[in-house]
């Protein structure tokens, strides 16, 4: 493009140059032929004048050699032209430059033949003279005697003078043509630049558009078709800019959606290489470098790989629940969707992996919860029903047996009532429908009130309750007093329940800066290490037979955990079998 103007300018110059040269040559040749014609006419007129001046007509040429030589001799010295008189037989009667004796017969000369035959009134020829040795122009006119051609008078001049005149003419013509060509060259460059300037700008804008610079525009002025092209290119640029803005915006939205999906997304091309994935897929597969690799290098699950191959082969959407064991054990909902081209061929596969491990776990927990609730409700109801039927069958008439059965019915009813109340309380806590009345709670006072509530229970087993010393000033946190007391009563009751007679239950309260740490520990039977992770689950019991005999519902620790977390706290447990258990609660002061 940088030399387009030069190419156009040179093309214009060559065109004008050829035109000027052709016109110049034509003009030169025209002037040359015109000059020659004028010279021929001049020589013809001069020859006619000499015929009349020398009185050559109607007189015999023979015997007049001396007379004619004397008459023509002065002309031969004063003019460059050569005058020759030839008789009918072709003999030179007189010549102004040479002696007639030295000249041969001229009967064969073309100019003489022309006039001798009477074909034309003048004979003209150009040739190299054998006498003088250079080219000459010959013009001959007839000499008539009694109406017949008796001879001819010929005037000849050297063509050298004519050629010099023509060369001078060509020189003058070149002096005119050279400035004209220079002017034409300048005009050609100016015109070429004017033509190529908008073309260059159009090309630059087109290159900018190809380089994704969609803000580029054509601002130069032009006319005709170039103006229409400029307008079209500007419209194209505006359209591309708008479309690319929309594409980028949609791409950003799509990327944001894909990146924030909880499901793993993977795009696999026809060569089975991964060309796109999202963060969730990295987390599911446990791989750092995925893009550019084949899917079977990255996916360590045979079931998922088979599902992808099935999508390529059958060209249909497929879904399956699969289990993987690397990088961790998970249950995945895998779905493959083929991307079909217009001809029906598969160009790629979209793979979606959704981790449903937690969902399946929750389903199992729910099923287990329903089973546990059914079992826990069934036990006291069965006892109440059985003893009531026994009483109705006649046992009521035995007063001692009646009292014993009614006591059992009362205990089982209370157990059933506690179970229902605990389930309702846990449900409210989990659903966060139980309102929290935040206040400044003095933990020293709450500890002592809670201990008083279980002291009688501890006394039945001769268990020692060790309390922390009171803090000055008192340790306070922003929480709900009743909930803290419920937590402590549950933990203390559990500690007393699972501690042997004459054991010890200890409470401690420490200030840890921004936090307070409350600890309830015992030297009871402890909890096996394998059960520590599950003791906060609903209805989970380490020793189911002993827990049921104790009248527990299996919901106490689950309620404790939810109450602690509802007040922004954390609860931890440590235990060793036959050594005891310690529950530690960490609460922020504010």
């Amino acid at each position: 493009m940088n030399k387009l103007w030069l190419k156009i300018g040179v093309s214009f110059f060559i065109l004008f140059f050829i035109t000027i040269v052709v016109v110049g040559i034509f003009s030169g040749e025209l002037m040359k032929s015109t000059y020659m014609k004028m010279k021929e006419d001049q020589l013809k007129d001069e020859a006619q004048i000499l015929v009349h001046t020398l009185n050559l007509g109607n007189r015999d040429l023979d015997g007049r050699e001396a007379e004619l030589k004397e008459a023509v001799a002065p002309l031969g010295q004063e003019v460059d032209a050569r005058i020759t008189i030839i008789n009918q037989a072709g003999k030179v009667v007189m010549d102004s430059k040479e002696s007639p004796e030295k000249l041969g017969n001229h009967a064969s000369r073309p100019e003489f033949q022309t006039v001798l035959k009477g074909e034309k009134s003048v004979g003209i020829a150009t040739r190299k003279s054998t006498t003088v040795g250079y080219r000459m122009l010959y013009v001959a006119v007839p000499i008539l005697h009694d109406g017949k051609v008796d001879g001819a008078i010929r005037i000849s001049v050297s063509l050298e003078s004519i050629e010099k005149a023509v060369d001078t003419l060509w020189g003058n013509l070149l002096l005119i043509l050279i400035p004209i060509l220079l002017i034409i060259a300048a005009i050609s460059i100016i015109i070429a630049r004017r033509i190529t300037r908008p073309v260059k700008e159009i090309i630059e804008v087109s290159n900018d558009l190809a380089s994704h610079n969609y803000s580029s525009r054509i601002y130069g002025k032009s006319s005709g078709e170039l103006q229409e092209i400029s307008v079209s290119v500007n419209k194209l640029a505006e359209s591309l800019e708008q479309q690319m803005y929309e594409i980028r915006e949609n791409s950003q939205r799509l990327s944001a959606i894909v990146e924030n999906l909880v499901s793993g997304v993977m795009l696999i091309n026809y060569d089975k290489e991964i060309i796109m994935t999202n963060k969730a897929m990295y987390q599911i597969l446990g791989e750092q470098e995925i893009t550019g690799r084949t899917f079977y290098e990255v996916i360590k699950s045979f079931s998922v790989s088979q599902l992808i191959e099935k999508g390529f082969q059958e060209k249909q959407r497929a879904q399956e629940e699969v289990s993987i064991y690397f990088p961790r054990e998970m249950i995945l909902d895998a779905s493959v969707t083929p991307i079909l081209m217009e001809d029906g061929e598969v160009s790629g596969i979209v793979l979606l992996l959704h981790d449903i491990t937690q969902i399946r776990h929750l389903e199992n927990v729910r099923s287990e919860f329903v089973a546990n609730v059914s079992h826990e409700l069934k036990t006291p109801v069965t006892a109440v029903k059985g003893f009531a039927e026994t009483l109705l069958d006649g046992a009521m008439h035995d007063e001692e047996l009646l009292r014993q059965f009614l006591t059992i019915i009362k205990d089982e009813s209370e157990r059933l009532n506690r179970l229902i109340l605990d389930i309702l309380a846990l449900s409210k806590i989990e659903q966060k429908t139980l309102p929290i009345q935040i206040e400044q709670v003095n933990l020293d006072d709450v500890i002592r009130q809670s201990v008083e509530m279980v002291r009688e229970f501890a006394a039945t087993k001769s268990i020692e309750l060790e309390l922390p010393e009171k803090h000055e000033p008192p340790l306070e946190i922003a929480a709900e007093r009743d909930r803290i007391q419920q937590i402590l009563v549950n933990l203390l009751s559990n500690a007393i329940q699972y501690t042997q007679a004459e054991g010890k239950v200890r409470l401690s309260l420490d200030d840890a800066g921004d936090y307070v740490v409350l600890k309830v520990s015992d030297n009871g039977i402890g909890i096996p290490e394998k059960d520590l992770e599950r003791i906060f689950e609903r209805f989970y019991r380490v020793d189911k037979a002993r827990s049921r005999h104790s009248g527990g519902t299996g919901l106490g620790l689950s309620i404790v955990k939810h109450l602690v977390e509802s007040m922004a706290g954390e609860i931890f447990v440590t235990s060793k079998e036959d050594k005891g258990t310690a529950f530690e609660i960490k609460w922020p002061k504010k």
Side-chain angles (χ1 to χ4, degrees), residues 28-167:
E29 291 297 324
L30 180 62
M31 287 185 288
K32 179 180 178 180
S33 62
T34 302
Y35 182 80
M36 289 290 290
K37 178 65 176 171
M38 291 174 60
K39 196 67 175 176
E40 290 171 1
D41 291 342
Q42 178 187 354
L43 293 179
K44 175 185 175 182
D45 292 341
E46 290 176 356
Q48 294 287 0
I49 292 171
L50 284 175
V51 169
H52 294 288
T53 302
L54 297 176
N55 194 20
L56 297 176
N58 299 320
R59 294 185 63 182
D60 193 358
L61 295 177
D62 294 331
R64 299 184 60 193
E65 290 86 351
E67 177 188 351
L68 293 175
K69 184 175 180 180
E70 182 181 356
V72 176
L75 295 175
Q77 298 175 355
E78 295 176 2
V79 296
D80 291 335
R82 178 180 178 183
I83 302 170
T84 304
I85 298 174
I86 305 168
N87 65 12
Q88 188 180 16
K91 178 185 176 182
V92 177
V93 177
M94 188 281 302
D95 188 90
S96 61
K97 299 293 185 181
E98 294 289 342
S99 172
E101 290 80 10
K102 296 180 179 181
L103 299 175
N105 191 284
H106 282 40
S108 61
R109 299 294 191 272
E111 66 277 6
F112 180 72
Q113 287 289 330
T114 300
V115 297
L116 186 65
K117 293 178 181 179
E119 294 177 355
K120 293 183 180 179
S121 61
V122 60
I124 301 172
T126 57
R127 65 179 179 276
K128 183 177 180 180
S129 173
T130 56
T131 304
V132 297
Y134 47 80
R135 286 175 59 80
M136 300 286 288
L137 171 64
Y138 298 95
V139 176
V141 295
I143 299 173
L144 302 175
H145 181 67
D146 295 333
K148 296 181 179 180
V149 178
D150 190 35
I153 183 169
R154 186 185 70 180
I155 301 178
S156 60
V157 294
S158 172
L159 286 177
E160 185 179 3
S161 60
I162 297 174
E163 289 172 354
K164 286 181 179 179
V166 172
D167 289 342

Side-chain angles (χ1 to χ4, degrees), residues 441-455 465-471 475 477 481 484-489 492 505-510 516-520 585 587:
V441 179
N442 185 330
L443 291 178
D444 290 302
D445 289 345
V446 175
I447 289 173
R448 279 156 178 77
Q449 289 176 5
S450 301
V451 168
E452 289 302 319
M453 294 178 69
V454 298
R455 190 175 292 279
L465 298 175
E466 182 179 333
L467 304 182
E469 293 183 2
K470 284 192 174 183
H471 293 77
L475 280 180
I477 62 172
R481 185 184 188 90
I484 294 177
Q485 187 168 321
Q486 186 179 358
I487 292 168
L488 284 171
V489 170
L492 289 168
V505 175
R506 182 175 179 271
L507 285 89
S508 65
L509 182 63
D510 298 308
V516 295
V517 179
L518 175 63
K519 192 172 183 180
V520 178
I585 302 172
W587 269 310

